[in-house]
Amino acid sequence: MGTTEFPMSHDVVVTITPTGFPWRTSDPFLFCVHHADAYPRGNAELGPEASLGGRELGYDFAGKDGWRMYHGERIPGFPAHPHRGFETVTVVREGVIDHADSLGATARFGAGDTQWLTAGAGIQHSEMFPLLSRERENPLELFQIWLNLPSANKLVTPYFSMLWRDRVPKLVADGVEVEIVAGSLAEQQAPSPPPDSWASQPDSELAIWVIKLAPGARWELPPSQLGVGRSLYFFRGGKLTVARHAVDVGSRVQLRAELPAALINGDQESELLLLQGRPIGEPVAQEGPFVMNTRAELAQAFMDYRRTQFGGWPWPSTSPVHAGEEGRFAKHPDGRVERPSR
């Protein structure tokens, strides 16, 4: 399936394209990936109770047997790695993530929680996927979204927020469920993003919604404003109609945000991710985990990382995990500990 364009200004649909891998995004978003892994039962070390033979350990992305070790060697996940100049928004739909970082912060979150991390001037963090159950399988599903920072905030102090699932509002009506991770909908407001985020700008119109449609459900996506980018990612289901256009699963639909868009679902439950925001409109210079505005700033980022390691790594392992019996929590760099109410 290739790109289909709809150039007429009165059509709410601009293009329909395959999502690709990672999913294609537009300013202010840099990157989006949907991880869905059918992990087996866990072992005593919180890794898979299964042979790791035939996998390229350290870079296992092939999806053998329906799951991946990613960069992990004993436990799936992403051991310590640096970031500078942007934010990660990690929405965990099923399973858990163990976080540790160079500021001394740690967390375990999942099953509906979101972590929003402003890398700013620089941070190292690890994101490991411990397989907590030894009696049953350990499925994991998450979105990781990279959101750019404007030049004025590229070098702010790193900061992370936990958006626990009981704080994330949902719109539920007539076969439609919308989880509002960022932005507002029908007078429901998502938790506040980090203070230096582009999402904290009052005119950014930034929204991250996860939409679930029951078979046959109909819903009108309300308009935003002219000049705002809006994309729908149809990642699970069968058939969907968006403003009279038939859309296959595995598609990205770019929309004119200033117009409402009618969604009519087919005969299977469908799920979509909406990413929306006013473009930052600045040059982007990216190399690996660093996102700046110029090549000179990128070179400085690499020099700074080699010199400081962004605070160093205070943990005995590059892929630390918490005890199997530990619940969901977040310990911040200042020592403050928070736990969700449910």
Side-chain angles (χ1 to χ4, degrees):
M1 180 177 65
T3 299
T4 304
E5 297 186 6
F6 303 92
M8 299 298 290
S9 61
H10 63 271
D11 196 328
V12 64
V13 174
V14 179
T15 63
I16 301 174
T17 59
T19 51
F21 185 87
W23 291 354
R24 297 175 179 87
T25 57
S26 301
D27 186 5
F29 299 98
L30 299 162
F31 169 102
C32 180
V33 68
H34 178 220
H35 291 306
D37 290 281
Y39 288 118
R41 292 181 296 114
N43 59 27
E45 296 181 324
L46 306 184
E49 184 62 64
S51 171
L52 298 180
R55 296 177 181 272
E56 187 180 354
L57 290 182
Y59 198 87
D60 176 29
F61 285 77
K64 183 177 182 289
D65 301 325
W67 51 277
R68 304 156 187 84
M69 291 293 289
Y70 298 105
H71 296 308
E73 297 192 353
R74 294 183 304 106
I75 298 169
F78 296 84
H81 56 282
H83 291 308
R84 172 181 274 191
F86 66 101
E87 301 183 283
T88 60
V89 183
T90 307
V91 182
V92 185
R93 310 191 73 215
E94 190 173 18
V96 297
I97 294 180
D98 279 2
H99 164 95
D101 66 41
S102 54
L103 303 180
T106 58
R108 170 170 286 171
F109 61 100
D113 302 325
T114 294
Q115 184 194 66
W116 196 316
L117 172 66
T118 304
I123 192 170
Q124 290 191 68
H125 74 151
S126 64
E127 303 158 291
M128 304 306 297
F129 309 149
L131 308 183
L132 300 183
S133 178
R134 301 184 67 178
E135 288 74 41
R136 60 184 184 277
E137 295 182 340
N138 291 273
L140 175 79
E141 183 185 0
L142 64 92
F143 301 109
Q144 184 161 94
I145 302 157
W146 289 15
L147 174 62
N148 202 8
L149 286 167
S151 57
N153 292 349
K154 287 286 188 190
L155 298 181
V156 297
T157 301
Y159 184 97
F160 83 85
S161 297
M162 290 306 311
L163 281 55
W164 303 112
R165 66 187 180 213
D166 59 310
R167 295 180 54 217
V168 176
K170 289 185 178 180
L171 172 72
V172 180
D174 299 325
V176 178
E177 179 180 293
V178 184
E179 183 179 357
I180 309 163
V181 177
S184 61
L185 175 64
E187 299 182 353
Q188 296 201 63
Q189 179 69 48
S192 297
D196 296 305
S197 174
W198 182 242
S200 291
Q201 297 297 315
D203 62 346
S204 72
E205 290 294 308
L206 196 126
I208 300 172
W209 302 343
V210 183
I211 302 166
K212 183 182 293 185
L213 301 174
R218 295 171 177 244
W219 186 57
E220 185 171 89
L221 189 63
S224 178
Q225 295 181 12
L226 185 67
V228 171
R230 173 180 276 184
S231 289
L232 275 177
Y233 299 86
F234 181 22
F235 66 91
R236 183 170 291 134
K239 294 291 185 181
L240 179 70
T241 300
V242 180
R244 304 184 307 280
H245 298 284
V247 179
D248 294 322
V249 69
S251 296
R252 174 195 182 192
V253 184
Q254 288 184 277
L255 301 169
R256 289 185 172 85
E258 71 273 16
L259 300 175
L263 309 182
I264 303 175
N265 194 25
D267 58 5
Q268 299 180 41
E269 182 178 84
S270 291
E271 294 184 280
L272 306 98
L273 176 70
L274 177 140
L275 298 182
Q276 171 187 293
R278 190 177 300 281
I280 294 172
E282 296 177 349
V284 174
Q286 178 175 356
E287 189 167 335
F290 303 143
V291 183
M292 305 303 292
N293 295 108
T294 68
R295 300 299 301 179
E297 290 170 343
L298 272 183
Q300 186 65 52
F302 280 98
M303 289 175 59
D304 290 347
Y305 177 60
R306 286 192 292 267
R307 179 173 55 85
T308 69
Q309 296 293 295
F310 294 160
W313 188 250
W315 312 104
S317 163
T318 59
S319 51
V321 293
H322 310 307
E325 64 274 12
E326 180 64 78
R328 291 153 49 238
F329 76 99
K331 181 179 179 181
H332 293 262
D334 61 4
R336 177 173 53 93
V337 176
E338 60 174 313
R339 294 185 182 272
S341 60
R342 63 175 178 85

